[in-house]
Amino acid sequence: MSRIAAIGIDAGSTTCKLVAVDDGGAIVSSLLEPTEPRVELQVRHMLDTLRAELGTNGDIPTVATGYGRKLIKEASRNVTEITCHAKGVFRDLKQAGTLVDIGGQDSKVIQVGRDGRPVDFMMNDKCAAGTGRFLEYTAARLGVPVQELGDRALGASGEEPISSTCTVFAESEIISLIARGADPDAILRGLHRSLVGRVVSMVRSVGITPPVMLSGGVAKNEAVRRMIADATAEDVILPRDPQLMGAYGAALLGANA
């Protein structure tokens, strides 16, 4: 096994990710779990598991990112998600461009420069309507598993527009649509369109530098990818493991790779 150079921790609002890299910056191992209320204790246990798997001790550089990064006492330093996602995606795709990171509690648009560093960015962390939480709330209301959202939206024969700019009011719209007998899949398609509209508005404010790249758990939702591509008229590409890019970037920074 390659020598472990660093471990990156992304203590996100929805999932907690750990990534170990070797001297060349390649991912050697990773862990991903739903985030628990005491994320600092969860990370400690995950680190113990990863270190035991890799046969390493606590002397390896460890960098934390994500909303809970300042709670991680085992980390030698903490770095913003913007820097880490830009670093991770740039290394994986070997592309500068416009990065869209849609997380559980916020969404970010980052202009990634030719050196992999963020040049400009815009962040939405005040409202859930442009985040993965927006889809989770509405999936629960419609009784649809989160992993089926994208396929159900893409397979809809129609689309019910969702005009509310707030998750709470959008839920009221959904209740009204259900009461009128609207097709749940058409509602889902409208919800995806609404989320993508907010994200693309941020993209246009920052400016588009092709290609458009996606990271975060929502990047796995094919409806989101296709709708962003349609709205921007640009190719939209994904790294191999979109959810791991924050932790990967943190590990790369720890390894100076």
Side-chain angles (χ1 to χ4, degrees):
M1 180 180 288
S2 303
R3 189 186 81 85
I4 307 304
I7 294 174
I9 303 165
D10 182 358
S13 62
T14 304
T15 56
C16 189
K17 289 81 64 177
L18 269 64
V19 167
V21 299
D22 63 17
D23 289 318
I27 295 177
V28 175
S29 185
S30 64
L31 290 176
L32 185 151
E33 295 180 358
T35 300
E36 298 174 2
R38 294 293 305 276
V39 68
E40 66 275 23
L41 297 180
Q42 180 181 13
V43 166
R44 192 176 304 160
H45 294 148
M46 291 176 73
L47 275 171
D48 288 344
T49 299
L50 189 64
R51 286 167 177 161
E53 174 194 325
L54 298 171
T56 62
N57 55 33
D59 295 333
I60 297 170
T62 304
V63 177
T65 191
Y67 94 104
R69 65 185 182 275
K70 295 181 180 179
L71 298 173
I72 311 306
K73 305 302 182 186
E74 290 80 7
S76 51
R77 61 181 169 131
N78 62 77
V79 183
T80 69
E81 303 100 300
I82 292 163
T83 297
C84 290
H85 275 269
K87 179 82 170 178
V89 172
F90 180 80
R91 173 60 67 92
D92 188 275
L93 293 175
K94 297 176 174 57
Q95 293 263 20
T98 303
L99 172 60
V100 178
D101 169 42
I102 307 176
Q105 75 169 10
D106 61 34
S107 54
K108 299 173 279 289
V109 176
I110 307 164
Q111 285 287 8
V112 182
R114 295 186 180 279
D115 60 356
R117 297 179 183 179
V119 176
D120 194 9
F121 72 92
M122 179 174 286
M123 182 173 183
N124 162 35
D125 59 356
K126 304 300 182 186
C127 177
T131 71
R133 196 61 53 89
F134 179 62
L135 293 178
E136 288 180 7
Y137 285 153
T138 51
R141 168 59 66 181
L142 292 168
V144 178
V146 172
Q147 61 269 24
E148 295 180 11
L149 290 177
D151 289 342
R152 293 276 295 268
L154 289 174
S157 57
E159 182 172 325
E160 293 286 352
I162 305 296
S163 59
S164 297
T165 58
C166 169
T167 301
V168 175
F169 293 141
E171 186 175 16
S172 297
E173 273 195 80
I174 292 167
I175 293 170
S176 296
L177 288 166
I178 292 171
R180 297 207 312 263
D183 176 16
D185 289 357
I187 296 173
L188 284 174
R189 191 174 181 90
L191 286 165
H192 281 73
R193 189 79 64 188
S194 179
L195 180 147
V196 167
R198 289 167 178 76
V199 170
V200 170
S201 177
M202 294 170 59
V203 169
R204 296 196 187 286
S205 293
V206 173
I208 300 176
T209 302
V212 176
M213 305 171 286
L214 295 186
S215 66
V218 179
K220 294 184 175 182
N221 184 312
E222 181 63 10
V224 170
R225 188 195 69 79
R226 289 195 197 180
M227 288 183 182
I228 290 176
D230 290 344
T232 59
E234 297 289 349
D235 290 333
V236 176
I237 59 176
L238 275 65
R240 285 166 292 177
D241 293 294
Q243 277 186 289
L244 297 182
M245 288 300 101
Y248 182 39
L252 290 171
L253 290 168
N256 294 315

